[in-house]
Amino acid sequence: MPLVKKKHPLAIRWFHWINFPILALMLWSGLWIYWANDEYSIVLGGKMIFKFFPEWFYNTFNIRFNLAVGMAWHFVFMWVFMLNGLAYVFYTFFSGEWKYLVPGKDSFKNAIKVTLHDIGLRKELPPASKFNGAQQIAYTSIIVFGAGSVITGLAIYKPVQLSWLTSFLGGYKIARLIHFCLALSYVFFFVIHVVQVIRAGWNNFRAMVTGIEVVAVNKNAKENEV
């Protein structure tokens, strides 16, 4: 028989659904900025394997001549992204939600088991909990990455006024490279996150929308508990 359980508080759901479009818009406006100096590529043995980003990419999405607009929107979205992130961190700390999110001593071992199960190399899943080890590591990492994006973003946006910060990060080029790598990590997280949500099914998605999930309860197990 099904059992309806509360899973995600309203505040957590709001933070999640605000952050998703804001981060997507920041990535998009960031592309306008990056286009003006697209210096990064993957090189092996002196030969360029891949350039971020190919010419066809800019042509397809019409990402040209928008540097000033991109910087303006990127800075606006940054404030929303930062304030939403700070509110999320404060809420999880004072509400006690951090206990479910922050990785513990068994989280890495649990994450390996979850990963092996997801790629088909392990049949059994670890015991169910609100967030498994892989989720704890991923969601905590995103918070750290978010802080890194704000810090490196400020360092490359105001390298003269915040020269001490830019120098601390290793200079403008290093700060920009870190900022770029963090942006790529969000794209990677997005893809994995969406795939995992699809794999988990409607019940998991509904929990992030409504805050509740429906759990199948074995009648015999329930009677034994009583």
Side-chain angles (χ1 to χ4, degrees):
M1 69 186 271
L3 176 67
V4 177
K5 294 176 61 178
K6 291 183 178 180
K7 187 172 184 179
H8 300 301
L10 179 62
I12 293 292
R13 286 178 277 139
W14 269 102
F15 295 138
H16 176 274
W17 292 114
I18 289 173
N19 194 60
F20 183 81
I22 289 299
L23 189 52
L25 289 169
M26 286 198 70
L27 289 169
W28 184 253
S29 58
L31 282 172
W32 295 350
I33 301 171
Y34 177 73
W35 161 82
N37 184 20
D38 56 346
E39 61 179 332
Y40 300 133
S41 60
I42 299 175
V43 179
L44 292 175
K47 184 178 181 181
M48 187 173 68
I49 305 299
F50 180 79
K51 179 177 174 60
F52 295 98
F53 292 90
E55 190 69 18
W56 63 261
F57 181 86
Y58 295 119
N59 293 332
T60 301
F61 295 101
N62 194 29
I63 304 173
R64 290 183 182 279
F65 313 113
N66 285 316
L67 175 60
V69 175
M71 291 182 68
W73 280 115
H74 203 67
F75 192 69
V76 170
F77 296 142
M78 182 275 289
W79 284 107
V80 181
F81 175 73
M82 183 177 69
L83 293 174
N84 187 64
L86 285 173
Y88 174 80
V89 170
F90 281 120
Y91 174 81
T92 53
F93 178 77
F94 288 108
S95 67
E97 285 290 313
W98 66 270
K99 296 175 183 177
Y100 304 111
L101 289 164
V102 176
K105 62 179 182 178
D106 296 324
S107 294
F108 289 92
K109 184 187 297 184
N110 181 274
I112 293 173
K113 293 178 180 179
V114 170
T115 303
L116 291 175
H117 174 271
D118 288 348
I119 62 177
L121 297 179
R122 178 186 169 91
K123 291 183 178 180
E124 303 83 14
L125 264 175
S129 58
K130 186 170 184 177
F131 297 110
N132 60 49
Q135 290 173 315
Q136 290 174 331
I137 294 169
Y139 298 158
T140 301
S141 296
I142 284 296
I143 297 299
V144 177
F145 291 171
S149 291
V150 172
I151 293 170
T152 55
L154 289 172
I156 61 179
Y157 180 64
K158 296 292 184 180
V160 176
Q161 296 87 337
L162 298 174
S163 57
W164 60 271
L165 179 60
T166 308
S167 298
F168 175 76
L169 294 171
Y172 180 88
K173 285 187 173 294
I174 298 298
R176 185 174 186 246
L177 178 60
I178 296 172
H179 195 73
F180 181 79
C181 290
L182 288 171
L184 291 181
S185 73
Y186 297 136
V187 176
F188 180 74
F189 176 83
F190 271 162
V191 173
I192 298 299
H193 188 56
V194 170
V195 169
Q196 290 295 76
V197 168
I198 294 173
R199 281 173 54 90
W202 167 249
N203 195 39
N204 185 66
F205 179 78
R206 175 175 52 196
M208 187 50 75
V209 176
T210 65
I212 62 173
E213 66 175 346
V214 180
V215 181
V217 179
N218 184 286
K219 185 177 179 181
N220 294 331
K222 190 173 181 181
E223 289 175 351
N224 290 336
E225 289 179 1
V226 175

